[in-house]
Amino acid sequence: MASCAEPSEPSAPLPAGVPPLEDFEVLDGVEDAEGEEEEEEEEEEEDDLSELPPLEDMGQPPVEEAEQPGALAREFLAAMEPEPAPAPAPEEWLDILGNGLLRKKTLVPGPPGSSRPVKGQVVTVHLQTSLENGTRVQEEPELVFTLGDCDVIQALDLSVPLMDVGETAMVTADSKYCYGPQGRSPYIPPHAALCLEVTLKTAVDGPDLEMLTGQERVALANRKRECGNAHYQRADFVLAANSYDLAIKAITSSAKVDMTFEEEAQLLQLKVKCLNNLAASQLKLDHYRAALRSCSLVLEHQPDNIKALFRKGKVGHTRVPGQVTQPRSDATPFPLQVLAQQGEYSEAIPILRAALKLEPSNKTIHAELSKLVKKHAAQRSTETALYRKMLGNPSRLPAKCPGKGAWSIPWKWLFGATAVALGGVALSVVIAARN
């Protein structure tokens, strides 16, 4: 049986340099092997996409970024760190003095970065004053005062330094830090505790006293004097004396600005008023030496000032500092109680007599002068008795003859001296005659 495969005829030789043609006859298994190799290469090429750039706008999910080294360590340390404690809530009320009588509560805080005023600055506040029952009794949209100068009630002077500029606060104050037992007629009754709603608007530095003009000095000193008068009417004599001192300081401080003669005269009159008021406050406080200095300063400018003469006469016969006083009524203008004397009646009586010459109809000076004369006489009798005790027992002293006057002893001495003189003259005549 003939074979199906016929033997191939020998082909012609190929030219030199030409590679022989591949046999196109497909052998069994060769085609499948080659196909598998090609498919494996294609799969490898499809799987190896690391060197290709990322695709854009293909709608595929983004490729996750590689985790940075140390991220797990940082997360672990962060988890181990304790959480910070929450900041404590601010107290609702601030007890300013620690006694519960003056408290402050912030209603609207000031803007960030705002500062607090300091003593000596001029502040402007919006003040609303109410009683404890909520009745509003006063409102001042633009209250201007110098911080720390006692221009206002103590409740404001102590609470405003604890506020920021732009802050609104509620202040509750006992009557002792407001208007005290006198109150402020007709709105504020005596012994009234107050609620103050304060808004601190501005705080600027106080004026330079050396650069003030004459009229500015007069205005400033008048404001301080009026503040002192308000304190004096409330029987707060310490604050009154402080305000009068500040007024005198504003008047007497050195000036770099020229003033007219009228302005200087006006300042001098204002200084005399402040010194007189200061002396009255010092007498109320039993500061007699300070009151005497204030009266003397007034008399240096106005020797005929009735008030200064009267007060200086009063000071001349008041008690020694440190002596216990008896309680007196606030209605009396000066201390009138019987006390140990200073021994200055010889100076006080002429002063009161000079004041009486200026105002002969002044009944107060008349009464004080007569009282002073009586006390002077009583003091002299007391001193005489003291001298007798120092010299010996007064009971052993010879009693005076009732029929003889006070000039009996001097006449005896005069008669004896005359007799001695006449005897000496006669003796000298006899001796001369013998010679």
Side-chain angles (χ1 to χ4, degrees), residues 231-255:
H231 292 311
Y232 191 92
Q233 291 174 359
R234 295 199 300 269
D236 200 338
F237 305 115
V238 174
L239 297 184
N242 179 74
S243 296
Y244 294 137
D245 272 329
L246 292 173
I248 296 170
K249 180 181 178 182
I251 295 171
T252 58
S253 61
S254 60

Side-chain angles (χ1 to χ4, degrees), residues 93-97 100-105 159 170-173:
W93 285 96
L94 173 64
D95 192 351
I96 296 177
L97 299 177
L101 301 180
L102 183 61
R103 301 186 304 159
K104 169 186 170 291
K105 175 183 177 181
S159 59
M170 178 66 70
V171 178
T172 60

